[in-house]
Amino acid sequence: MKKTYPLFDIYWDEEDIQRVNGVIRRGTSWAAGPEIIEFENALKTYFGVKYALTFNSGTSAMHALMLAHGINSGEVIVPSFSFISTANAVLLAGATPVFADIESESLGLDPMDVEGKISSNTEAIVPMHYGGRVCKNIEKLRTLADTHNLLLIEDNAESFGASLNGKLAGTFGQSAFLSFCQNKIITTGEGGAVITNDENVYQNLILIRSHGRVEKNDVDYFHDTEIEDYIAIGYNLRMPSICAALGVSQLKKISTIISKRREVALYYNQILSEIKNISIFHENSFSTPVYQLFSILLNNPTDRAPLQKFLVENGIYTKIYFAPIHQKKFYAKKFPKSKGLSVTIDISRRILTLPFSLNFQKEDLDFIADKIREFFKDQQNKEEIT
């Protein structure tokens, strides 16, 4: 049987199974169990922040964070080069997403374009850390936000553990949201979290997460025999105990996971840098990416579709992260004036994410690289014939 190379697989061990089994065998507190606080405390320690709150997805975490910061109108500057939920969460909160362009090195927001998009209606800037890298201009964006008295809310769904000048992604702004979906650095299957040093935001998040209910420190809703009070409108955005147990176990392995991801990626970089038809994202001395995605750029955008077809025929699966949000049917119709964004459009036409697994051996990576070379050699031969 021909070997296949999926886009990703999940790194797990027996401890993950034992932690989940422990919750199941307990026969109670599958929701609001002690693992929730345990995971939140572990996140606080890892990021060095005062508060962490878990959610049932990264999208829920972002939506709740918008509301917790009081963003229910006005404009929020976001990248179009992102997953659709980046814009959706802004709209769902009642505000308007304004799309800004990216730079081509880390694929983070471009401060110059962001500054040009700031208006009297702007409430916040939401930079995304792409694919395991830190947005290279995050410090400039923080300065820009401070200058204009705006919030800087980090989209750290993809770069858990990445750092810039020794500072972790997610700790540059007033708040950040995380994702633990199955293809992230650590995963709970589905899940998310918010980290912040703002007590008021944290207290608002507690209400938003659980129907606006006043929470007690000594007893959870399911074991409380007294009548609870509800002081705000809220949702049910809670993470289940089983997922939190998995998060605790996964986070204990974060150093190993990052080390293994970087080992695979550095070899990938080495062998792919020899192929002249593509470009790779080079590392630098002041940032440490964690490679949630391993993406390349095709020098010629017309090569992407046939390359994808050729690779899948050889058991190698690829995906495009991301196509521009502002060009999606819903957003193109709702916000037809989202023009420009030339770097976003260029990158989106040429980017391609390759398979990535902590179980890949050098021979697996060599096979993938060889197939990419074979494709371009075949292309060259066809051009010479014609």
Side-chain angles (χ1 to χ4, degrees), residues 3 157 196:
K3 184 172 183 178
T196 185

Side-chain angles (χ1 to χ4, degrees), residues 26-241:
R26 186 169 64 212
T28 186
S29 297
W30 287 15
E35 294 78 12
I36 302 295
I37 294 175
E38 186 181 1
F39 188 28
E40 290 172 349
N41 285 339
L43 290 170
K44 285 193 296 185
T45 299
Y46 184 80
F47 285 99
V49 296
K50 293 180 180 178
Y51 308 103
L53 208 68
T54 53
F55 288 84
N56 57 13
S57 73
T59 302
S60 295
M62 181 183 180
H63 181 202
L65 191 50
M66 296 288 111
L67 298 175
H69 274 291
I71 300 173
N72 53 23
S73 62
E75 298 175 346
V76 176
I77 297 175
V78 299
S80 177
F81 185 78
S82 184
F83 184 56
I84 196 78
S85 65
T86 302
N88 285 355
V90 173
L91 271 179
L92 290 168
T96 300
V98 174
F99 298 110
D101 211 354
I102 58 172
E103 42 76 24
S104 58
E105 185 176 337
S106 71
L107 309 186
L109 280 177
D110 178 357
M112 290 184 61
D113 196 61
V114 168
E115 189 165 23
K117 302 290 173 65
I118 294 173
S119 74
S120 59
N121 294 321
T122 306
E123 298 284 343
I125 303 169
V126 182
M128 178 186 69
H129 301 295
Y130 175 79
R133 295 178 177 273
V134 182
C135 172
K136 66 172 282 192
N137 291 312
I138 190 66
E139 291 169 326
K140 291 181 180 179
L141 290 166
R142 177 61 194 262
T143 300
L144 186 60
D146 290 345
T147 300
H148 292 271
N149 196 29
L150 303 174
L151 294 167
L152 185 72
I153 298 172
E154 294 174 72
D155 178 347
N156 194 29
E158 299 182 358
S159 295
F160 192 110
S163 62
L164 178 69
N165 295 320
K167 190 174 174 66
L168 287 170
T171 63
F172 291 87
Q174 282 88 351
S175 305
F177 57 94
L178 317 171
S179 172
F180 307 119
C181 189
Q182 63 175 346
N183 62 339
K184 299 304 193 291
I185 300 298
I186 64 170
T187 179
T188 59
E190 275 285 10
V194 168
I195 54 174
T196 185
N197 288 313
D198 189 319
E199 183 179 4
N200 186 57
V201 168
Y202 173 68
Q203 295 297 336
N204 288 341
L205 287 167
I206 291 174
L207 296 173
I208 293 164
R209 180 176 71 170
S210 289
H211 306 289
R213 183 172 56 236
V214 176
E215 299 286 347
K216 299 178 182 179
N217 294 327
D218 57 340
V219 61
D220 68 79
Y221 167 80
F222 299 98
H223 295 89
D224 191 359
T225 59
E226 298 180 1
I227 297 174
E228 295 81 7
D229 199 4
Y230 294 80
I231 62 173
I233 192 73
Y235 303 84
N236 178 2
L237 304 178
R238 298 188 304 270
M239 173 182 281
S241 304

Side-chain angles (χ1 to χ4, degrees), residues 276-380:
K276 65 179 182 179
N277 307 84
I278 64 174
S279 300
I280 62 170
F281 292 93
H282 294 280
E283 291 202 13
N284 52 50
S285 60
F286 50 83
S287 67
T288 306
V290 294
Y291 296 96
Q292 186 262 334
L293 301 174
F294 190 90
S295 299
I296 61 172
L297 291 175
L298 283 298
N299 295 348
N300 185 348
T302 61
D303 287 333
R304 187 171 66 181
L307 174 60
Q308 281 192 282
K309 182 175 182 295
F310 176 81
L311 291 178
V312 78
E313 289 170 352
N314 286 276
I316 301 168
Y317 291 86
T318 64
K319 193 173 179 67
I320 297 166
Y321 292 110
F322 295 101
I325 297 174
H326 76 281
Q327 293 182 343
K328 300 295 184 184
K329 186 179 294 184
F330 173 82
Y331 283 94
K333 183 177 180 180
K334 190 170 183 65
F335 302 106
K337 293 183 180 180
S338 298
K339 307 295 184 183
L341 306 177
S342 58
V343 178
T344 294
I345 292 170
D346 174 61
I347 294 294
S348 296
R349 292 173 64 216
R350 297 191 294 121
I351 201 158
L352 186 64
T353 296
L354 300 181
F356 196 98
S357 168
L358 275 64
N359 295 313
F360 279 173
Q361 303 299 312
K362 286 187 175 181
E363 53 264 34
D364 297 313
L365 300 171
D366 287 337
F367 176 80
I368 295 168
D370 287 343
K371 287 302 174 183
I372 294 173
R373 288 192 194 91
E374 183 180 333
F375 168 80
F376 285 113
K377 185 177 181 180
D378 290 346
Q379 291 289 97
Q380 183 179 352

